Coordinates of all heavy atoms in Angstrom, one line a residue:
I1 N -72.0 -19.6 68.0 CA -73.2 -18.8 67.9 C -74.4 -19.5 68.5 O -74.6 -20.6 68.2 CB -73.4 -18.5 66.4 CG1 -72.2 -17.7 65.8 CG2 -74.7 -17.6 66.2 CD1 -72.3 -17.5 64.3
P2 N -75.1 -18.8 69.4 CA -76.2 -19.4 70.1 C -77.3 -20.0 69.1 O -77.6 -19.4 68.1 CB -76.8 -18.3 70.9 CG -75.7 -17.3 71.1 CD -74.9 -17.4 69.8
A3 N -77.8 -21.1 69.5 CA -78.9 -21.7 68.7 C -80.1 -20.7 68.6 O -80.3 -19.9 69.5 CB -79.4 -23.0 69.4
G4 N -80.7 -20.7 67.4 CA -81.8 -19.8 67.1 C -81.4 -18.5 66.6 O -82.2 -17.7 66.1
T5 N -80.1 -18.2 66.5 CA -79.6 -16.9 66.0 C -79.9 -16.9 64.5 O -79.5 -17.9 63.8 CB -78.1 -16.7 66.2 OG1 -77.9 -16.7 67.6 CG2 -77.7 -15.4 65.6
Q6 N -80.5 -15.9 64.0 CA -80.8 -15.8 62.6 C -79.9 -14.7 61.9 O -79.6 -13.7 62.6 CB -82.3 -15.4 62.4 CG -83.3 -16.3 62.9 CD -83.3 -17.6 62.2 OE1 -83.3 -17.7 60.9 NE2 -83.2 -18.7 62.9
L7 N -79.6 -14.9 60.7 CA -78.8 -13.9 59.9 C -79.8 -13.0 59.3 O -80.6 -13.4 58.4 CB -78.0 -14.6 58.9 CG -77.2 -13.8 57.9 CD1 -76.1 -13.0 58.7 CD2 -76.5 -14.6 56.9
N8 N -79.8 -11.7 59.7 CA -80.7 -10.7 59.1 C -80.2 -10.2 57.8 O -80.9 -9.9 56.8 CB -80.9 -9.6 60.1 CG -81.6 -10.0 61.3 OD1 -82.4 -10.9 61.3 ND2 -81.3 -9.3 62.4
A9 N -78.9 -9.9 57.7 CA -78.3 -9.3 56.5 C -76.8 -9.4 56.6 O -76.2 -9.5 57.6 CB -78.7 -7.8 56.4
V10 N -76.1 -9.4 55.4 CA -74.7 -9.4 55.2 C -74.4 -8.4 54.1 O -75.0 -8.5 53.0 CB -74.1 -10.7 54.9 CG1 -72.6 -10.6 54.7 CG2 -74.4 -11.7 56.0
T11 N -73.5 -7.4 54.4 CA -73.1 -6.5 53.3 C -71.6 -6.4 53.4 O -71.0 -6.6 54.5 CB -73.7 -5.1 53.4 OG1 -73.4 -4.6 54.7 CG2 -75.2 -5.2 53.3
I12 N -70.9 -6.1 52.2 CA -69.5 -5.9 52.2 C -69.3 -4.6 51.5 O -69.8 -4.4 50.4 CB -68.7 -7.0 51.5 CG1 -68.9 -8.3 52.2 CG2 -67.3 -6.6 51.4 CD1 -68.4 -9.5 51.4
E13 N -68.6 -3.6 52.2 CA -68.4 -2.3 51.6 C -67.0 -1.8 52.1 O -66.8 -1.8 53.3 CB -69.5 -1.3 52.1 CG -69.4 0.0 51.4 CD -70.6 0.9 51.7 OE1 -71.7 0.4 51.7 OE2 -70.4 2.1 52.0
E14 N -66.2 -1.5 51.1 CA -64.9 -0.9 51.4 C -64.1 -1.7 52.4 O -63.5 -1.2 53.4 CB -65.0 0.5 51.9 CG -65.6 1.5 50.8 CD -65.7 2.9 51.3 OE1 -65.1 3.3 52.3 OE2 -66.4 3.6 50.6
G15 N -64.1 -3.1 52.3 CA -63.3 -4.0 53.1 C -64.0 -4.4 54.4 O -63.4 -5.2 55.1
T16 N -65.1 -3.8 54.7 CA -65.8 -4.2 55.9 C -67.0 -5.0 55.6 O -67.9 -4.6 54.8 CB -66.3 -2.9 56.7 OG1 -65.2 -2.1 57.0 CG2 -67.0 -3.3 58.0
C17 N -67.1 -6.2 56.3 CA -68.2 -7.1 56.1 C -69.1 -6.8 57.4 O -68.7 -7.0 58.5 CB -67.8 -8.5 56.1 SG -69.2 -9.7 55.9
C18 N -70.3 -6.3 57.1 CA -71.3 -6.0 58.2 C -72.2 -7.2 58.2 O -72.9 -7.5 57.3 CB -72.0 -4.7 57.8 SG -73.1 -4.2 59.2
V19 N -72.3 -7.8 59.4 CA -73.2 -9.0 59.7 C -74.2 -8.6 60.7 O -73.9 -8.2 61.8 CB -72.4 -10.2 60.2 CG1 -73.2 -11.3 60.5 CG2 -71.2 -10.5 59.3
D20 N -75.5 -8.6 60.3 CA -76.6 -8.3 61.2 C -77.3 -9.5 61.6 O -77.8 -10.3 60.8 CB -77.6 -7.3 60.5 CG -78.6 -6.8 61.4 OD1 -78.6 -7.0 62.6 OD2 -79.6 -6.2 60.8
L21 N -77.2 -9.8 62.9 CA -77.8 -11.0 63.5 C -79.0 -10.7 64.4 O -79.2 -9.6 64.8 CB -76.7 -11.7 64.4 CG -75.4 -12.1 63.7 CD1 -74.4 -12.5 64.7 CD2 -75.7 -13.1 62.6
S22 N -79.8 -11.7 64.6 CA -81.0 -11.5 65.4 C -80.6 -11.5 66.9 O -79.5 -11.8 67.3 CB -82.0 -12.7 65.2 OG -81.4 -13.9 65.6
A23 N -81.5 -11.0 67.7 CA -81.3 -10.9 69.2 C -80.9 -12.1 69.9 O -80.3 -12.0 71.0 CB -82.5 -10.3 69.8
Q24 N -81.2 -13.3 69.3 CA -80.7 -14.5 70.0 C -79.2 -14.6 70.1 O -78.7 -15.3 71.0 CB -81.2 -15.8 69.2 CG -82.7 -16.0 69.3 CD -83.5 -15.2 68.3 OE1 -83.0 -14.3 67.6 NE2 -84.8 -15.4 68.3
Y25 N -78.5 -13.9 69.3 CA -77.0 -13.8 69.4 C -76.6 -13.4 70.8 O -75.6 -13.8 71.3 CB -76.5 -12.8 68.3 CG -75.0 -12.7 68.3 CD1 -74.2 -13.8 67.9 CD2 -74.3 -11.6 68.8 CE1 -72.8 -13.7 67.9 CE2 -73.0 -11.5 68.8 CZ -72.2 -12.5 68.3 OH -70.8 -12.4 68.3
L26 N -77.4 -12.6 71.5 CA -77.1 -12.1 72.8 C -77.5 -13.0 73.9 O -77.2 -12.7 75.1 CB -77.8 -10.7 73.0 CG -77.5 -9.6 72.0 CD1 -78.4 -8.4 72.2 CD2 -76.1 -9.3 72.0
S27 N -78.0 -14.2 73.6 CA -78.5 -15.0 74.7 C -77.4 -15.7 75.5 O -77.7 -16.2 76.6 CB -79.4 -16.1 74.1 OG -78.7 -17.0 73.3
S28 N -76.2 -15.6 75.1 CA -75.1 -16.2 75.9 C -74.0 -15.1 76.0 O -73.0 -15.1 75.3 CB -74.5 -17.4 75.2 OG -75.4 -18.5 75.1
P29 N -74.2 -14.1 76.9 CA -73.3 -13.0 77.0 C -71.8 -13.4 77.2 O -70.9 -12.7 76.7 CB -73.8 -12.2 78.2 CG -75.2 -12.6 78.3 CD -75.3 -14.0 77.9
E30 N -71.6 -14.5 77.9 CA -70.2 -14.9 78.1 C -69.5 -15.4 76.9 O -68.3 -15.5 76.8 CB -70.1 -16.0 79.2 CG -70.8 -17.3 78.8 CD -72.3 -17.4 78.9 OE1 -72.9 -16.4 79.4 OE2 -72.9 -18.4 78.6
D31 N -70.3 -15.7 75.8 CA -69.7 -16.2 74.6 C -69.6 -15.1 73.5 O -69.1 -15.4 72.4 CB -70.6 -17.3 74.0 CG -70.5 -18.6 74.9 OD1 -69.5 -18.8 75.6 OD2 -71.5 -19.3 74.9
L32 N -70.0 -13.9 73.8 CA -70.0 -12.9 72.7 C -68.6 -12.6 72.2 O -68.5 -12.5 71.0 CB -70.6 -11.6 73.3 CG -72.1 -11.6 73.5 CD1 -72.6 -10.3 74.1 CD2 -72.9 -11.9 72.2
L33 N -67.6 -12.4 73.0 CA -66.3 -12.1 72.5 C -65.7 -13.3 71.7 O -65.3 -13.0 70.6 CB -65.4 -11.8 73.7 CG -63.9 -11.4 73.3 CD1 -63.9 -10.2 72.4 CD2 -63.1 -11.1 74.5
P34 N -65.7 -14.5 72.2 CA -65.2 -15.6 71.3 C -66.0 -15.8 70.1 O -65.5 -16.1 69.0 CB -65.2 -16.8 72.2 CG -65.9 -16.5 73.5 CD -66.0 -15.0 73.5
A35 N -67.3 -15.6 70.1 CA -68.2 -15.8 69.0 C -67.8 -14.8 67.9 O -67.7 -15.1 66.7 CB -69.7 -15.8 69.3
G36 N -67.7 -13.5 68.3 CA -67.3 -12.5 67.4 C -66.0 -12.7 66.8 O -65.8 -12.4 65.6
R37 N -65.0 -13.2 67.5 CA -63.7 -13.5 66.9 C -63.8 -14.6 65.9 O -63.2 -14.5 64.9 CB -62.8 -13.9 68.1 CG -62.4 -12.7 68.9 CD -61.5 -13.1 70.0 NE -61.0 -11.9 70.7 CZ -60.1 -12.0 71.7 NH1 -59.7 -13.1 72.2 NH2 -59.7 -10.9 72.3
V38 N -64.6 -15.6 66.2 CA -64.8 -16.7 65.2 C -65.4 -16.2 63.9 O -65.0 -16.5 62.8 CB -65.6 -17.9 65.8 CG1 -66.0 -18.9 64.7 CG2 -64.8 -18.6 66.9
I39 N -66.5 -15.4 64.1 CA -67.2 -14.8 62.9 C -66.2 -14.0 62.1 O -66.1 -14.1 60.9 CB -68.4 -14.0 63.4 CG1 -69.5 -14.9 63.9 CG2 -68.9 -13.1 62.2 CD1 -70.5 -14.1 64.7
A40 N -65.4 -13.1 62.8 CA -64.5 -12.2 62.1 C -63.4 -13.0 61.4 O -63.0 -12.8 60.2 CB -63.9 -11.2 63.0
A41 N -62.8 -14.0 62.1 CA -61.8 -14.8 61.5 C -62.2 -15.6 60.3 O -61.5 -15.7 59.3 CB -61.2 -15.8 62.5
S42 N -63.5 -16.0 60.3 CA -64.0 -16.8 59.2 C -64.3 -15.8 58.0 O -63.9 -16.1 56.9 CB -65.3 -17.5 59.6 OG -65.1 -18.4 60.6
L43 N -65.0 -14.7 58.3 CA -65.3 -13.8 57.2 C -64.1 -13.1 56.6 O -64.2 -12.8 55.4 CB -66.4 -12.8 57.6 CG -67.8 -13.5 57.9 CD1 -68.7 -12.4 58.6 CD2 -68.4 -14.1 56.7
C44 N -63.1 -12.9 57.3 CA -61.9 -12.2 56.8 C -61.1 -13.1 55.9 O -60.1 -12.6 55.3 CB -61.1 -11.6 57.9 SG -61.8 -10.1 58.6
T45 N -61.5 -14.3 55.7 CA -60.9 -15.2 54.7 C -61.5 -14.9 53.3 O -60.9 -15.4 52.3 CB -61.0 -16.7 55.0 OG1 -62.4 -17.1 55.0 CG2 -60.4 -17.0 56.4
L46 N -62.6 -14.2 53.2 CA -63.2 -13.9 52.0 C -62.4 -12.8 51.3 O -61.8 -11.9 51.9 CB -64.6 -13.4 52.2 CG -65.6 -14.4 52.7 CD1 -66.9 -13.7 53.1 CD2 -65.8 -15.5 51.8
P47 N -62.3 -12.8 49.9 CA -61.6 -11.8 49.2 C -62.2 -10.4 49.5 O -63.4 -10.2 49.7 CB -61.9 -12.1 47.7 CG -62.3 -13.5 47.7 CD -63.0 -13.8 49.1
D48 N -61.3 -9.4 49.7 CA -61.7 -8.0 49.9 C -62.3 -7.7 51.3 O -62.8 -6.6 51.5 CB -62.6 -7.5 48.8 CG -62.0 -7.6 47.4 OD1 -60.8 -7.4 47.3 OD2 -62.8 -8.0 46.5
V49 N -62.3 -8.7 52.2 CA -62.8 -8.4 53.6 C -61.6 -8.3 54.5 O -60.9 -9.3 54.6 CB -63.8 -9.6 54.1 CG1 -64.2 -9.3 55.5 CG2 -65.0 -9.6 53.2
V50 N -61.5 -7.2 55.1 CA -60.4 -7.0 56.1 C -60.8 -6.8 57.5 O -60.0 -7.0 58.4 CB -59.5 -5.8 55.7 CG1 -58.8 -6.0 54.3 CG2 -60.3 -4.5 55.6
Q51 N -62.1 -6.5 57.7 CA -62.6 -6.4 59.1 C -64.1 -6.7 59.0 O -64.8 -6.7 58.0 CB -62.4 -5.0 59.6 CG -63.0 -3.9 58.9 CD -62.6 -2.6 59.5 OE1 -61.8 -2.4 60.3 NE2 -63.3 -1.5 59.0
V52 N -64.7 -7.0 60.2 CA -66.1 -7.4 60.4 C -66.7 -6.5 61.4 O -66.2 -6.3 62.5 CB -66.2 -8.9 60.7 CG1 -67.6 -9.2 61.0 CG2 -65.6 -9.7 59.6
Q53 N -67.9 -6.0 61.1 CA -68.8 -5.3 62.1 C -70.0 -6.2 62.3 O -70.7 -6.6 61.4 CB -69.2 -4.0 61.5 CG -70.2 -3.2 62.3 CD -69.4 -2.6 63.5 OE1 -68.4 -1.9 63.4 NE2 -69.9 -2.8 64.7
I54 N -70.2 -6.5 63.6 CA -71.4 -7.3 64.0 C -72.5 -6.4 64.5 O -72.2 -5.6 65.4 CB -71.0 -8.4 65.0 CG1 -69.9 -9.3 64.4 CG2 -72.2 -9.1 65.5 CD1 -69.3 -10.3 65.4
L55 N -73.6 -6.5 64.0 CA -74.8 -5.8 64.5 C -75.8 -6.8 65.0 O -75.8 -7.9 64.6 CB -75.4 -4.9 63.4 CG -74.5 -3.9 62.7 CD1 -75.2 -3.3 61.5 CD2 -74.0 -2.9 63.7
V56 N -76.7 -6.3 65.9 CA -77.8 -7.1 66.4 C -79.1 -6.3 66.1 O -79.2 -5.2 66.6 CB -77.7 -7.5 67.9 CG1 -78.9 -8.2 68.4 CG2 -76.4 -8.3 68.1
D57 N -79.9 -6.9 65.3 CA -81.1 -6.2 64.8 C -80.8 -4.8 64.4 O -81.6 -3.8 64.8 CB -82.2 -6.3 65.9 CG -82.7 -7.7 66.1 OD1 -82.7 -8.5 65.1 OD2 -83.2 -8.0 67.2
G58 N -79.8 -4.6 63.6 CA -79.5 -3.3 63.0 C -78.6 -2.4 63.8 O -78.3 -1.3 63.3
G59 N -78.1 -2.7 65.0 CA -77.3 -1.8 65.8 C -76.4 -2.6 66.7 O -76.5 -3.8 66.9
V60 N -75.5 -1.8 67.4 CA -74.6 -2.4 68.4 C -75.4 -2.2 69.7 O -75.7 -1.1 70.1 CB -73.3 -1.6 68.5 CG1 -72.4 -2.1 69.6 CG2 -72.5 -1.8 67.1
P61 N -75.6 -3.4 70.4 CA -76.3 -3.3 71.7 C -75.6 -2.4 72.7 O -74.5 -2.6 73.0 CB -76.4 -4.8 72.2 CG -76.1 -5.6 70.9 CD -75.2 -4.7 70.1
A62 N -76.4 -1.5 73.3 CA -75.8 -0.5 74.3 C -75.4 -1.2 75.6 O -74.5 -0.7 76.2 CB -76.8 0.6 74.5
E63 N -76.0 -2.3 75.9 CA -75.7 -3.0 77.2 C -74.5 -3.9 77.2 O -74.2 -4.5 78.2 CB -76.9 -3.8 77.7 CG -77.3 -5.0 76.8 CD -78.2 -4.7 75.6 OE1 -78.4 -3.5 75.3 OE2 -78.6 -5.6 75.0
H64 N -73.8 -3.9 76.0 CA -72.6 -4.8 75.9 C -71.4 -3.9 75.5 O -71.6 -2.9 74.9 CB -72.8 -5.9 74.9 CG -73.9 -6.8 75.3 ND1 -73.8 -7.8 76.3 CD2 -75.2 -7.0 74.9 CE1 -74.9 -8.5 76.5 NE2 -75.8 -8.0 75.6
D65 N -70.2 -4.4 75.7 CA -69.0 -3.7 75.3 C -69.0 -3.6 73.8 O -69.0 -4.6 73.1 CB -67.8 -4.6 75.8 CG -66.5 -3.9 75.5 OD1 -66.4 -2.9 74.7 OD2 -65.5 -4.3 76.1
P66 N -69.0 -2.4 73.2 CA -69.0 -2.2 71.8 C -67.8 -2.8 71.1 O -67.8 -3.2 69.9 CB -69.1 -0.7 71.6 CG -68.7 -0.1 72.9 CD -69.0 -1.1 74.0
A67 N -66.7 -3.0 71.8 CA -65.5 -3.6 71.2 C -65.7 -5.0 70.8 O -65.0 -5.6 69.9 CB -64.3 -3.5 72.2
W68 N -66.7 -5.7 71.4 CA -67.0 -7.1 71.0 C -67.7 -7.2 69.7 O -67.9 -8.3 69.1 CB -67.9 -7.7 72.1 CG -67.3 -7.9 73.4 CD1 -66.0 -7.7 73.8 CD2 -68.0 -8.2 74.6 NE1 -65.8 -7.9 75.1 CE2 -67.0 -8.2 75.7 CE3 -69.3 -8.5 75.0 CZ2 -67.3 -8.5 77.0 CZ3 -69.6 -8.8 76.3 CH2 -68.6 -8.8 77.3
F69 N -68.2 -6.1 69.2 CA -69.0 -6.1 67.9 C -68.2 -5.5 66.7 O -68.6 -5.7 65.6 CB -70.3 -5.3 68.2 CG -71.1 -6.0 69.2 CD1 -71.0 -5.7 70.5 CD2 -72.0 -7.0 68.8 CE1 -71.8 -6.3 71.5 CE2 -72.8 -7.6 69.8 CZ -72.7 -7.3 71.1
G70 N -67.1 -4.8 67.0 CA -66.3 -4.4 65.9 C -66.1 -2.9 65.7 O -66.6 -2.1 66.5
P71 N -65.4 -2.6 64.7 CA -64.9 -3.5 63.6 C -63.8 -4.4 64.2 O -63.0 -4.0 65.0 CB -64.4 -2.6 62.5 CG -64.3 -1.3 63.1 CD -65.1 -1.2 64.3
L72 N -63.9 -5.7 63.8 CA -63.0 -6.7 64.3 C -62.1 -7.2 63.2 O -62.5 -7.4 62.1 CB -63.8 -8.0 64.8 CG -64.8 -7.7 65.9 CD1 -65.7 -9.0 66.1 CD2 -64.0 -7.4 67.2
R73 N -60.8 -7.2 63.5 CA -59.8 -7.7 62.6 C -59.1 -8.9 63.2 O -58.6 -8.8 64.4 CB -58.7 -6.7 62.2 CG -59.3 -5.5 61.4 CD -58.2 -4.5 61.2 NE -58.7 -3.4 60.5 CZ -58.1 -2.9 59.4 NH1 -57.0 -3.4 58.9 NH2 -58.7 -1.9 58.8
P74 N -59.0 -10.0 62.6 CA -58.4 -11.2 63.2 C -57.0 -10.9 63.7 O -56.2 -10.1 63.0 CB -58.3 -12.2 62.1 CG -59.4 -11.9 61.2 CD -59.5 -10.4 61.2
N75 N -56.6 -11.4 64.8 CA -55.4 -11.2 65.5 C -54.8 -12.6 65.9 O -55.5 -13.4 66.4 CB -55.6 -10.3 66.7 CG -54.3 -9.8 67.3 OD1 -53.3 -10.6 67.4 ND2 -54.3 -8.6 67.7
S76 N -53.5 -12.8 65.7 CA -52.9 -14.1 66.0 C -53.1 -14.5 67.4 O -53.1 -15.7 67.7 CB -51.5 -14.1 65.5 OG -50.7 -13.2 66.3
D77 N -53.2 -13.6 68.3 CA -53.4 -14.0 69.8 C -54.8 -14.4 70.1 O -55.0 -14.7 71.3 CB -52.8 -12.9 70.7 CG -53.7 -11.6 70.7 OD1 -54.5 -11.4 69.8 OD2 -53.5 -10.8 71.6
W78 N -55.7 -14.3 69.2 CA -57.1 -14.7 69.5 C -57.2 -16.3 69.7 O -58.1 -16.7 70.4 CB -58.0 -14.4 68.3 CG -58.4 -12.9 68.2 CD1 -58.0 -11.9 69.0 CD2 -59.3 -12.4 67.3 NE1 -58.5 -10.7 68.6 CE2 -59.4 -11.0 67.6 CE3 -60.0 -12.9 66.2 CZ2 -60.2 -10.1 66.8 CZ3 -60.8 -12.0 65.5 CH2 -60.9 -10.7 65.8
F79 N -56.4 -17.0 69.0 CA -56.5 -18.5 68.9 C -55.2 -19.1 69.3 O -54.1 -18.5 69.2 CB -56.9 -18.9 67.5 CG -58.1 -18.2 67.0 CD1 -58.0 -17.1 66.1 CD2 -59.4 -18.6 67.4 CE1 -59.1 -16.5 65.7 CE2 -60.5 -17.9 67.0 CZ -60.4 -16.9 66.1
L80 N -55.3 -20.3 69.8 CA -54.0 -21.1 70.1 C -53.3 -21.5 68.9 O -53.8 -21.7 67.9 CB -54.4 -22.3 71.0 CG -55.1 -22.0 72.3 CD1 -55.5 -23.3 72.9 CD2 -54.2 -21.3 73.2

């Protein structure tokens, strides 16, 4: 996660953990997919969390692939 990224909010509802991050999250576009996977893999270890939705300042940025933001479910082929 890029330096300076702030956590705006976290909610869990019906198995989905919604993580709202500040715009600094977008400062390294080449890292968005792996960063999202790490966030999802970490949060899905919490009880009752089966997927993760990542937002930036309250929404999914239109200029990036929406699949990078979720909902994300950990997959064994994400990691070595």
Side-chain angles (χ1 to χ4, degrees):
I1 299 175
T5 301
Q6 299 293 313
L7 178 62
N8 296 329
V10 176
T11 59
I12 300 173
E13 187 174 317
E14 297 181 16
T16 299
C17 181
C18 185
V19 179
D20 187 8
L21 303 170
S22 64
Q24 288 85 353
Y25 181 71
L26 303 175
S27 67
S28 296
E30 66 279 358
D31 294 331
L32 289 176
L33 181 59
R37 288 177 172 180
V38 169
I39 292 167
S42 298
L43 291 174
C44 284
T45 64
L46 296 172
D48 301 323
V49 175
V50 296
Q51 63 185 8
V52 173
Q53 177 72 54
I54 299 173
L55 303 175
V56 177
D57 290 332
V60 175
E63 67 274 11
H64 297 284
D65 186 343
W68 295 350
F69 297 89
L72 302 170
R73 292 177 182 232
N75 189 321
S76 62
D77 69 345
W78 284 3
F79 307 100
L80 297 176

